[in-house]
Structures are given as C-alpha cells and as structure tokens.
Amino acid sequence: MSKNLLIVESPSKAKTLKKYLGSEFEILASYGHVRDLVPKTGAVDPENDFAMKYELVARNGKHVDAIVKAAKEAENLYLATDPDREGEAISWHLQEILKSKRGLKDIRPQRVVFHEITKKAVLDAVANPRELSQTLVDAQQARRALDYLVGFNLSPLLWKKIRRGLSAGRVQSPALRLICERENEIKAFVTQEYWTVHLDSHKAKQTFTAKLTHFNGEKLEQFSLPSEEAQGKVLSALQAHDTAAVTAVEKKKRSRNPAAPFTTSTMQQEAVRKLSMTTDRTMRTAQQLYEGIDVGQGATGLITYMRTDSVTLANDAIAEIRHYIENKIGADYLPSSARLYKTKAKNAQEAHEAIRPTSVYRTPEAVKPYLSADQFKLYQMIWQRAVACQMAPAKFDTTTVDMSLGEGVFRVTGQVQTFAGFLSVYEEGRDDSDEEDSARLPELKVGETLPADKVYGEQHFTQAPPRYSEATLVKALEEFGIGRPSTYASIISTLKDREYVTIDQKRFVPTDTGDIVNKFLTEHFTQYVDYHFTAKLEDQLDDIAEGRREWKPVMAKFWKDFAKQIEEKAGIERAKITSEALEETCPKCGTHQLQIKFGKRGRFIACTGYPDCDYTRNINETAEEAAQAAAQAAAEAAEVEGRECPKCSKPLVYKQGRYGKFIGCSGYPKCKHIEPLEKPKETGIACPKCGKGHLIERKSRYGKIFYSCNTYPDCDYATWNPPISETCPKCHWPILTIKTTKRRGTEKVCPQKECGHSEVITPPEGK
C-alpha cells in the first residue's frame, strides 16, 4: 500500500495523474459528488440556523468505501478535486465522511489545487498543499441551500396551482423570464415598411453599388422613405440623370485586434456558433480534454481548467505561444510585446487562467488521430483562439466614396485586407448576419464622372428582435449576472427537460407551460425572478467565498422575505393563474364569455359555462375556422358499419385524434371507449401473466411495434420483442421472445429480466 493517497473526482483524471506521480502515490476517484442534501423537506432547517442534512450519494457508495479503506493505511492524504467552489465542497464532504469513520477522527487531509494537468503543475501542487478553504465551502453550501429552499418551496406551489411535475429554480426562473419576455417582444412587434435607394455604377470592368444618403440637402434616416410612393418621387428625380460625379474620396487604414482567450462563457458561445455544439455537450467534451486523453504518450491533459471567468494567461504560456508564433507562423505575425487582457466579469475567481492548450506545440493536427470528432473540433478552436490572442492585429485599407447624382448623394464603402494578422489563425463567430462589407472598389478621384447604370429602390421591413439561441442566452445570462458560467449548461438543460422551452431553428421558444410558469412567477414572486436581485445574490455568494460576508446572515435575510411570500401566495386560486378572460361570447351557447384555459396539452379556448356548455377550440383558431373544422370532423365521423360499442351499445364511429384516425364511441364524453382503426394482428400465444387473454401486436404512439395482452387494461402485460410459444428452460416462464442485434445476431431471450436466459439462433454476419 502506498504511503500517499490522492483523491480526484474522475477515474480518467486519476489515470493521467498516475503517470506523473508514480508508484509512491495511490490515486482514487470519488466519481463526482459523494454527499448531497437528503431529497425531502427538512434537508435545510431555517429554524435551526440553516442546519443541513446530508446523505451519501448511493451510486458512489463503493467508491467512498474504497477511499475510507485506503485512507486508514495512508500516511499522507491529498484532496485534488476540481479547483473551484464545487470541487472545494467535494473535498470538504470527503473530509467530513473520513472524520466520521473509526480510526480517522483526527485526520487532516491536505488540499491540492492545479489548473492544468501537466507534470510541472501537478508536482508543484503536491509540493505546496494548503488547508481546505472554509469560505469557499460556505459559499457553495449557501448556494446549495438557497437552491434547495427555492426549489422545495416554489415547486410544490407550482404543482398545486398549475400542474404536477413542474419546478422553479433560483437561476432557472430568471433565465426562463428572459426567453418569455423576448417572445412577448416579438408578438408585440409591429412591422414598419421603409425603402432605400441604390445606384449601380462601374469603372472599367469593376462594378459596385452605392446607397442614397442625402436628398435635396437633407440626410435620409431609416424611415425617410416610408412607402413605395415616397421612394417613387425620389427615383423620378434621380433617374433623369445618367451620370454621377465623385465629390469625396476618403481613405483610411484600420486595424482589428484579436479577441481574448476563452473563458467558460465565451467558449460555450463560440462552440454554439461555430461548432453547433450545445452548452452541455461543450462542457462534457472540455472536461474530457482537461482530465486527459492518451495521445500516444499516455493520458495527457490537453487544456487548462474549463470553468473560469478569467482571461489571464500564465507568463510561461504567453512565452511559449509567442515562441510558436515567431518560429512556426512568422515574425511578422508577432507583436513587439505580449498582449495582456483584462477580465470583465465581476469577481472573476474560479480559476487563475483562461482556457488554453497545456502546450501550444501540441497542435490540433498532431493529436487529431487520438481524439473523437467533438474533442478535435473543440480542442482546435481552443488552440486557435489561444494562439490568435497573442498575434499581431489584422490590417485593412478602407475607402469611402461620395457621388452626386442630381439632388442626391450616394455613398459606398470598400474594404481590403492588407495584412491577415491573427485572422490567418482564428476569427470570432457572429450571432447575426452582420458581416462587414469587404467589397473592392476601383481607384476613384474627386471630380471623376461615372455612369449611372441603374437607379432603383429596395423595399424593407423592420424585423422583430431574434429569439435567443444558446449562444445569445449565455451572453445575456452573463451580462445580467444570472448564475455563473459553470451553471449555464445545467440551466439550459433544465429548461429543456422541464419542457418550458422548445427549440425551433436553434432558437428558444417558450411552451405554454413555460409561459404560464413565468407569468405566475413574475406576477407573484417578482423579486425572485428580478435580474438585478439575482445578480446581487450572486455577488453576495462571491463575498462569502472571499470571506467578506458570513453565509448564515445572507441566508436568514433571504429566507425571511421568501417564506413570508410563499405563505401569502398559498391561497391564490388556480383559475386566476391558468385562465385568461376573452372579450368574446361563446358561439355555441351565446350566453357565457370565452376564456383561455390551460390543460394537459397546453392552452386552448373554452366556454366559461362549462360543464353546461362544452365549446372549445384551438388557441390560434377563429370561431369560423373552428366551426369549419367541426363540420368536417362530423362529416368524416361516419358510423362503423355493423359495430356497436361493447360498453354502452351506442354506434361506433370513425374519429380523428392527435395520433391519427381511430374508432370511438358516439356517446363520448359519457362513454370513452376507443380502439385502433386497424384490427390488431393476432399472435395466437396465450398471455403468460393472466393466462386468460392472448398476445396481440400493437403500435405505440410513436409507431413502434410491441406485443400486449388483448384484455388490457385488466391485464397490463407487454413486451417489445416478438413472442414465441416456448417455455424458458431456465425459469420456466411460459414464453420466450425473439431478439436481433448486430453484436449477437438473432437469439431466443427470456422476457423476465431477472432470468437472463438467451440462446443464439443465427449468429451475426461475419461470425
């Protein structure tokens, strides 16, 4: 047994570190979090000084046991979890677990922190351990307690007032608000028409287009020509002239500097824009690159720690990058001094450095054979950005030309890149199509006359603000101070998983559920979804981490107001949240008003006189459209000849539902009998569960074939694989099923999971 025990979070990181630390160290992984709050009410007790009840994470029990066993025999214990608050908290939990074990009560583990997994960084960290930082642990405990108190008190309220299964979160809810408010802006947006006037001209064989900027001595604004009629009058005056005179030529030299190296936020944004990778996928891939990949020399950490707000680079890294630029790219591309970047994020502290390759000489092409497609794309982007940030600026010649045509002045701007600089390695992606005009212009001089080849107008309409993409949402979250970069991926995943948003053309669209939840929270818990309040709370957590505040007073102040609000809002009627009155009388009963209601399938319009009047229609339908659809459905609802409902004896009819046509009782809604349009395919095999029915082939709502008992719902037995009438030789279950896979071919399988019997009928191809 080694005298030194070092604990990390992941087994892949353990494998990388083993290469550097050798046989003197035993390295074990905790496999992430080892303790968490108990998943029930009372895990955080505000009445008892916010005491927190933790329990072991069940899936990691065996790993904790291995750590405890090894710790009892080790002389030195090092905790090397990730270098952020969450990593500090995991180390603290490990320490508390070890202290609770017999023989380890007086254990004093040492904290080891490194921001890149290289031999130098790891050996330096082990040689200079420190004590656990209680302020970082307190900040993480406060964050976890806040999230717990919000979730466990707001979510049950959403269940009662809206629908079961919903959730609200401290940072998730303001993020949802951003998306919903943008959608409301789009819905309220009124499109305006405007026109622009253009001149096509040429010199020699080079053509170009200029835009009208002044007319009759007045500068044209966006809406100076609001209609076709207005631009027609301008065109009539200008088209009387067939030549334009150059009145001004302005030439300038312009340079463009590279962007700073990646932080967590900018990496996520660029991965969305340039690589079409979600924030969650980006962070998982970055974690793999950080922890280490075998690139022909054993497991090697390829990038520095990927959860960081900082744009600073270590002096050694800058020196190496500058050496690479001078020797591999060219001395012309190396500025006279190193570029230094200033961190814009408030309280940037999660890591000392920006995200960069651990060695710039480990080029993307060199490691490509060892990386997956995602790993290579992300590594290449990180490498290119880190190199580009230390390169010379790109240089451009810009020329602006004014030309007069009658009473009009036209302007055209051309740009030519004269030196690529950092752009030869990397260029930032863009959220919208706002690329600069880089047209090349002919050499023009003041007083020169050019032909007016064509003078014409173009119609335009103002555009509503675009919906948020993952990149622009991350940017907005960072600007408002909602959450921290390390939480953005989980915020977005939660919004998707809870079905508060859907993705349309890579943009977020709030669902009816998301809209209702946001409406409830913004109206009744305004303070807690307020962007500034959320950001202020993040600042207080940063103060706790820096030792400027105590965590329990922060918790107490938050809880006092929040608990009072929860109590006050408990009596709100559900109808006031989920319903919205319309100024329209029901076309069916002619008496009651219509309202927008919220059901299992989202919003719909219904009569307030329900159940006396059962009128409903889709949210986007007019009364006329709904009447036409109802008439068509009635016409299609022909009776099934010779068939009566087995439950109430009324005629069966053909119906149309969200999953297509089916047969149903004409007595609906009093009788809810339904059956599929096509008669189920019989298997002739008795149901092994009830013994009364037999198995038939059915189709799921998603079109997948399965086999179930024909007496459903009395018997709920079902299996995905085709059944055969053979008894299992191992457990004697009455049937077996046929299963085909690429790896094992076709085999007979017992459908009882606990049995596990299988026998190959036909081996896979090639075996």
Side-chain angles (χ1 to χ4, degrees):
M1 179 64 67
S2 300
K3 293 181 179 180
N4 301 304
L5 175 63
L6 186 137
I7 311 299
V8 293
E9 290 180 46
S10 73
S12 57
K13 190 191 293 187
K15 187 178 178 182
T16 309
L17 292 177
K18 187 68 178 174
K19 184 178 75 170
Y20 301 139
L21 295 174
S23 59
E24 294 182 6
F25 278 79
E26 181 179 6
I27 304 173
L28 296 178
S30 70
Y31 287 77
H33 287 272
V34 291
R35 284 202 312 182
D36 199 5
L37 292 171
V38 295
K40 57 185 178 182
T41 306
V44 179
D45 187 358
E47 304 302 320
N48 188 22
D49 208 18
F50 297 95
M52 300 170 75
K53 297 177 184 176
Y54 291 105
E55 66 178 9
L56 282 174
V57 176
R59 69 176 183 273
N60 288 343
K62 62 181 180 181
H63 306 302
V64 171
D65 290 342
I67 290 169
V68 170
K69 183 179 178 182
K72 288 181 177 179
E73 299 183 28
E75 292 182 12
N76 300 306
L77 175 60
Y78 300 93
L79 300 174
T81 49
D82 285 348
D84 55 18
R85 293 178 201 169
E86 195 140 341
E88 201 77 17
I90 292 172
S91 284
W92 177 77
H93 283 298
L94 280 166
Q95 175 183 268
E96 295 302 296
I97 290 169
L98 292 171
K99 281 184 176 181
S100 68
K101 303 298 180 181
R102 181 181 295 177
L104 294 172
K105 293 187 182 299
D106 298 324
I107 192 168
R108 290 185 66 82
Q110 301 175 83
R111 180 76 166 108
V112 169
V113 175
F114 41 80
H115 296 85
E116 60 180 87
I117 304 178
T118 59
K119 186 172 184 178
K120 181 179 182 299
V122 171
L123 294 179
D124 284 351
V126 172
N128 298 282
R130 62 167 172 81
E131 294 288 317
L132 273 169
S133 170
Q134 192 59 44
T135 57
L136 289 178
V137 173
D138 289 346
Q140 183 58 28
Q141 283 206 103
R143 180 186 294 277
R144 186 70 186 90
L146 284 169
D147 291 344
Y148 174 89
L149 289 173
V150 171
F152 263 75
N153 287 278
L154 261 186
S155 298
L157 199 58
L158 294 179
W159 286 34
K160 292 176 185 175
K161 307 303 178 185
I162 302 175
R163 194 180 72 200
R164 289 185 65 83
L166 301 179
S167 73
R170 185 178 60 86
V171 289
Q172 158 201 329
S173 299
L176 176 62
R177 180 186 169 191
L178 276 171
I179 294 169
C180 291
E181 285 186 346
R182 177 59 55 87
E183 193 68 20
N184 292 336
E185 283 181 59
I186 294 168
K187 288 177 181 177
F189 185 81
V190 178
T191 298
Q192 284 185 268
E193 179 186 10
Y194 67 97
W195 288 72
T196 54
V197 175
H198 302 270
L199 163 67
D200 283 354
S201 185
H202 72 277
K203 183 178 180 181
K205 293 183 179 180
Q206 202 161 349
T207 61
F208 58 91
T209 300
K211 180 182 176 182
L212 182 67
T213 58
H214 294 75
F215 185 70
N216 282 335
E218 292 185 8
K219 184 180 179 182
L220 297 183
E221 305 295 343
Q222 183 178 13
F223 298 107
S224 294
L225 303 177
S227 64
E228 187 173 10
E229 181 183 2
Q231 67 92 35
K233 292 177 181 178
V234 173
L235 281 183
S236 297
L238 296 175
Q239 287 173 339
H241 305 274
D242 55 9
T243 58
V246 177
T247 56
V249 177
E250 184 181 11
K251 293 184 177 182
K252 287 183 179 179
K253 293 191 178 294
R254 192 175 71 85
S255 62
R256 180 175 156 197
N257 290 320
F262 279 134
T263 61
T264 304
S265 169
T266 54
M267 179 184 70
Q268 290 174 345
Q269 292 174 51
E270 282 289 84
V272 172
R273 296 186 194 109
K274 301 189 81 168
L275 308 180
S276 297
M277 290 172 66
T278 63
T279 51
D280 183 56
R281 187 169 142 207
T282 300
M283 293 306 289
R284 279 189 280 110
T285 307
Q287 182 90 30
Q288 295 159 9
L289 295 173
Y290 164 69
E291 290 180 349
I293 293 168
D294 189 345
V295 291
Q297 308 161 347
T300 303
L302 297 182
I303 64 169
T304 53
Y305 193 54
M306 66 287 159
R307 292 187 178 91
T308 174
D309 306 277
S310 175
V311 291
T312 305
L313 292 177
N315 291 334
D316 289 349
I318 292 175
E320 186 186 52
I321 291 171
R322 285 176 59 81
H323 186 270
Y324 180 90
I325 294 168
E326 184 174 19
N327 289 278
K328 298 293 184 181
I329 299 177
D332 291 345
Y333 291 85
L334 183 70
S336 57
S337 60
R339 291 187 176 277
L340 302 178
Y341 296 90
K342 195 170 182 180
T343 298
K344 295 179 182 178
K346 293 184 296 180
N347 300 313
Q349 41 143 40
E350 298 292 12
H352 297 306
E353 274 199 88
I355 304 168
R356 62 167 175 84
T358 53
S359 172
V360 73
Y361 279 94
R362 200 174 287 117
T363 63
E365 292 73 23
V367 298
K368 185 176 182 179
Y370 307 98
L371 305 182
S372 69
D374 279 358
Q375 289 168 349
F376 171 72
K377 288 190 293 184
L378 188 61
Y379 180 72
Q380 182 181 50
M381 191 175 76
I382 292 168
W383 186 93
Q384 290 173 338
R385 177 91 163 214
V387 172
C389 83
Q390 291 300 317
M391 290 178 68
K395 295 179 181 178
F396 304 88
D397 282 345
T398 60
T399 303
T400 302
V401 178
D402 286 346
M403 298 182 296
S404 64
L405 181 72
E407 296 300 319
V409 176
F410 290 81
R411 175 169 291 178
V412 58
T413 300
Q415 176 175 283
V416 177
Q417 185 185 97
T418 57
F419 177 65
F422 75 93
L423 290 176
S424 62
V425 172
Y426 184 83
E427 182 172 12
E428 276 191 285
R430 296 173 183 267
D431 291 316
D432 301 299
S433 55
D434 55 354
E435 295 287 345
E436 295 179 8
D437 181 11
S438 57
R440 185 183 291 273
L441 291 175
E443 189 65 34
L444 298 173
K445 295 179 181 178
V446 174
E448 216 174 327
T449 301
L450 299 169
D453 297 330
K454 184 181 179 183
V455 181
Y456 57 95
E458 281 188 357
Q459 185 183 33
H460 307 273
F461 294 95
T462 53
Q463 300 293 312
R467 292 184 174 118
Y468 285 107
S469 65
E470 284 208 24
T472 54
L473 182 61
V474 165
K475 188 176 181 180
L477 291 172
E478 185 175 39
E479 287 173 352
F480 280 108
I482 299 169
R484 282 292 177 259
S486 58
T487 65
Y488 296 157
S490 62
I491 290 171
I492 291 170
S493 294
T494 302
L495 293 177
K496 292 178 186 175
D497 294 343
R498 295 291 178 186
E499 297 182 354
Y500 289 165
V501 298
T502 56
I503 306 295
D504 180 25
Q505 296 180 338
K506 298 185 179 181
R507 303 272 173 169
F508 291 110
V509 183
T511 61
D512 286 344
T513 303
D515 202 37
I516 290 282
V517 168
N518 177 66
K519 182 171 176 266
F520 171 66
L521 294 176
T522 51
E523 288 181 2
H524 299 285
F525 291 87
T526 310
Q527 179 181 0
Y528 302 101
V529 291
D530 179 77
Y531 305 134
H532 300 296
F533 175 82
T534 306
K536 186 178 177 182
L537 202 52
E538 290 291 346
D539 290 341
Q540 291 175 0
L541 292 171
D542 291 338
D543 287 344
I544 294 168
E546 293 293 319
R548 293 190 293 267
R549 284 177 185 263
E550 295 291 327
W551 73 280
K552 289 181 180 178
V554 171
M555 294 293 304
K557 187 175 186 307
F558 172 87
W559 176 249
K560 181 181 177 182
D561 297 334
F562 183 69
K564 183 181 177 183
Q565 196 128 357
I566 289 286
E567 189 176 344
E568 288 174 354
K569 301 302 178 181
I572 301 172
E573 293 180 24
R574 183 180 185 274
K576 289 184 178 179
I577 300 167
T578 59
S579 302
E580 183 182 336
L582 293 176
E583 294 182 5
E584 183 182 346
T585 304
C586 175
K588 185 174 182 180
C589 69
T591 306
H592 300 94
Q593 294 296 109
L594 294 180
Q595 63 179 342
I596 297 175
K597 297 191 75 175
F598 180 73
K600 282 192 278 186
R601 296 176 185 172
R603 284 176 166 147
F604 64 99
I605 295 173
C607 181
T608 54
Y610 181 84
D612 296 329
C613 178
D614 62 357
Y615 177 80
T616 62
R617 72 170 188 252
N618 294 329
I619 190 76
N620 296 319
E621 274 185 325
T622 64
E624 292 75 19
E625 289 170 340
Q628 290 174 3
Q632 184 178 352
E636 291 177 355
E639 289 188 11
V640 182
E641 191 174 347
R643 294 284 312 278
E644 290 183 348
C645 176
K647 289 185 177 179
C648 69
S649 300
K650 287 190 175 181
L652 292 177
V653 294
Y654 294 105
K655 292 192 172 188
Q656 179 74 37
R658 64 189 299 195
Y659 300 115
K661 282 191 171 184
F662 65 97
I663 294 172
C665 181
S666 58
Y668 180 85
K670 289 184 178 179
C671 177
K672 297 182 179 179
H673 172 78
I674 61 170
E675 56 188 64
L677 192 64
E678 297 178 6
K679 190 175 181 181
K681 184 179 177 182
E682 300 283 350
T683 65
I685 297 170
C687 175
K689 184 175 181 180
C690 69
K692 297 177 182 178
H694 54 275
L695 301 182
I696 56 175
E697 183 182 288
R698 295 181 187 270
K699 188 179 288 186
S700 74
R701 66 175 61 177
Y702 303 110
K704 190 174 179 181
I705 300 295
F706 69 100
Y707 302 85
S708 66
C709 184
N710 70 331
T711 64
Y712 179 83
D714 296 332
C715 175
D716 62 358
Y717 183 79
T719 177
W720 288 111
N721 298 320
I724 55 174
S725 187
E726 290 186 23
T727 304
C728 175
K730 185 176 178 182
C731 70
H732 306 296
W733 187 248
I735 68 166
L736 293 175
T737 61
I738 300 294
K739 184 178 181 181
T740 302
T741 61
K742 288 183 179 179
R743 188 171 66 89
R744 293 180 58 87
T746 303
E747 56 186 333
K748 295 178 184 178
V749 178
C750 180
Q752 298 291 88
K753 289 183 180 179
E754 60 272 20
C755 172
H757 170 76
S758 67
E759 53 184 286
V760 175
I761 303 172
T762 307
E765 291 184 16
K767 292 189 179 180

